Amino acid sequence: TFDINHDGSIDFQEFLLAISASSRGNIDERLAATFDVFNISNDGLIDKKELTKVLSAMYDLVGEIDRTGDRDSKTRTANIIAKLD
């Protein structure tokens, strides 16, 4: 979503735009921006593959190395989908 030039990475300008987009506006605008981050395929839906990819990236970001049991991205995705679907 924030990789505007689609080069596979986020440069500093794109990073600043991401921070700005996620911290501005009312709750509906912030939720829409968050949804766009999860909706990697831009099809208006968040599927299991997209959610698993985002959860894995979040784990990488915070340095989570124990990804067993409930901490497994696929397991957590299945639990989230079951609760929200």
Side-chain angles (χ1 to χ4, degrees), residues 3-26:
D3 182 15
I4 296 168
N5 62 1
H6 306 289
D7 67 353
S9 63
I10 304 291
D11 63 28
F12 188 67
Q13 182 178 4
E14 292 166 332
F15 174 75
L16 290 178
L17 289 171
I19 296 297
S20 176
S22 62
S23 62
R24 285 186 171 183
N26 63 37

Side-chain angles (χ1 to χ4, degrees), residues 45-64:
L45 303 170
I46 299 172
D47 62 25
K48 289 180 181 179
K49 183 177 177 181
E50 290 168 325
L51 185 55
T52 301
K53 188 172 185 176
V54 171
L55 289 174
S56 292
M58 288 179 177
Y59 285 158
D60 290 343
L61 185 64
V62 298
E64 178 64 62

Side-chain angles (χ1 to χ4, degrees), residues 50-85:
E50 290 168 325
L51 185 55
T52 301
K53 188 172 185 176
V54 171
L55 289 174
S56 292
M58 288 179 177
Y59 285 158
D60 290 343
L61 185 64
V62 298
E64 178 64 62
I65 55 173
D66 178 13
R67 299 183 187 190
T68 58
D70 287 343
R71 291 185 176 165
D72 175 68
S73 296
K74 289 181 181 180
T75 301
R76 183 148 291 177
T77 294
N79 291 338
I80 291 170
I81 296 289
K83 289 179 182 177
L84 298 178
D85 210 9

Side-chain angles (χ1 to χ4, degrees), residues 1-2 18 20-39 44 46 84:
T1 298
F2 298 115
S20 176
S22 62
S23 62
R24 285 186 171 183
N26 63 37
I27 188 71
D28 290 332
E29 292 166 337
R30 290 188 309 229
L31 285 171
T34 302
F35 183 86
D36 289 343
V37 169
F38 282 77
N39 182 26
I46 299 172
L84 298 178

